[in-house]
Amino acid sequence: MATWQILVILVKILVIVGLFQGAVAYMIMLERKIAAWAQDRVGPNRAGPFGLLQPLADGAKMLLKEDVIPGYVNRPIYVLAPAIAIVAATIGFAVVPFGPVGSDAPTVNGHAIEFQIAPNVDIGILYVFAIGSLAVYAVILGGWASNNKYSFLGGLRNSAQIISYEIPLGLSVIGMVMMARSLDLGEIMSWQEQNGLGFIPAWGILVQPLGCLIFLISAFAETNRLPFDLAEAEQELVGGFHTEYSAMKFGMFFLGEYLHVITVSFLMSILFLGGWDPLFFDLSSNGWIPAVIKVGVLFFKVFLMVVFIMWIRWTLPRFRYDQLMNLAWKAMIPLALLNLIVTMILLQIFRGIG
Amino acid sequence: MKLDDPNLKRVEPPKLTLFEKTYLPQILGGLAVTGRHILGAAVGGKAITVQYPEEQHVPSANYRGVHRLNKDEQGRVKCVACMLCATACPAHCIDIVGATAPPEWDDREKYPESFVIDELRCIYCGMCEEACPVDAIELTGLYDLTGLSREEMIYDKTKLLSVFDMTKDAEPMQSGNPPATLALPTSPLEPGGPGPRSSSSADMPSRS
């Protein structure tokens, strides 16, 4: 690999990690704003114009607050857990294409610049799920290392939830994978782009509606967002696995959670919302301008997904723990299997005829 | 009422269709409601909260905020150091040191040499106000009571009198401005009222 290629990859990593971690700060502000609007309030508007400096104030507070480490915790693991949360959430972006990849990618001096940190990873989607499930270590180690019954039970509860919802999450995308015949996220996107019927696109939400719904619900549970945020139900459950965490270490768990929200929004946009397909005009040509438009379209869809996730938060009440488990095991997994079987049969029939 | 009572009306919950059992229509309806609120507040400016430092909330007339010590027409403190407020106070936050009134104050024997209220202990029940025979202590509508230290929150006589100067125009003294119900000439409840007493007044509970 030439030096310039390594440089390009490093620049991509810096841009993506910096962009998303900065976006997380503003997502927290957006979350607070949407929370306020849903309750007919105004929301944070003190720091800077329209409150736009609020994330800086929040960050300064996180860093400057007293960082308490109780004497009875298992120190190395206690410190490690929030780091795992962040790392697991960050490295998932490696295979997420945020712009044209492969033959669509724009070129510089005949070399393609692909908008993906690790392009051409055939197992893209498996990698994202594998990395995403590492987040459960942060939860259970954090709960265990806190050496506190409430935290431990909270960690167990939450890890059971994350693992349970991993199953329908994985099953729900297999339908899409079977149709596109690839695990590569870029391939799945281009399949959606190329297989529309006239003006009707072959977006995942239309060809796999049940899979889309199951993916969406599981994604909420995976990211610990409402209505599945038992881990954060402060008053009822004594804060769950992060009871003993304060200041920036607590903040890191949430940074991880918000990064997870971005990852899930990317997956949702790529798998089920057509990725960078702008729907109303054709962008199949190569070059920098279509590439930039594609990145913009994809980011816009991701933004809409993030807003939707926050919107849901102020609409649905929190699940009780047994309801949460019932939903996963008794409703979502059978439905996901059903979806899989029906997709399989239909694919056999149509491919057999065709 | 017994369970087999013929008058008992049984209400069956409405049967849900299969679509409704998925809760999707309800969820969509909920999203519509919150979406309306989000758009209303974000775009339509329909936020209903008071923007506090810019807009001041005006509490209702019977709100009980910071105390004040009233002054009479000559600018003297009205209090006669009778200790009734301190006795009535359930939180024991009023501390009065009485002294013999100066000879030129011919309407009273005593006056408060020091009058201290610990605003942090006070529960703002208004019993001191009720107990005071000369309407010297009153609770004002001032609610933004803040201080940087505990000492700052212990209000002495000077501070309590300055609260009076601050609020006397906005909130006139109750004794100087009797409530409208007392001034009604035909009120049957007023024993000394000039109006003719109705026969039904005998059924009214008498005021003690």
Side-chain angles (χ1 to χ4, degrees), chain A residues 121-138:
Chain A
V121 178
D122 292 340
I123 53 158
I125 207 159
L126 282 186
Y127 172 83
V128 173
F129 286 153
I131 294 300
S133 59
L134 284 183
V136 78
Y137 282 101

Side-chain angles (χ1 to χ4, degrees), chain A residues 225-247:
Chain A
R225 298 284 310 180
L226 249 107
F228 305 100
D229 72 331
L230 294 173
E232 288 154 49
E234 299 93 0
Q235 292 85 8
E236 309 93 290
L237 299 174
V238 210
F241 68 92
H242 47 53
T243 315
E244 303 291 348
Y245 284 90
S246 57

Side-chain angles (χ1 to χ4, degrees), chain A residues 313-331:
Chain A
R313 173 172 189 169
W314 297 100
T315 303
L316 297 184
R318 191 175 281 136
F319 275 86
R320 214 172 51 213
Y321 190 67
D322 58 325
Q323 295 172 331
L324 180 111
M325 280 301 179
N326 277 344
L327 183 71
W329 291 96
K330 293 187 184 165

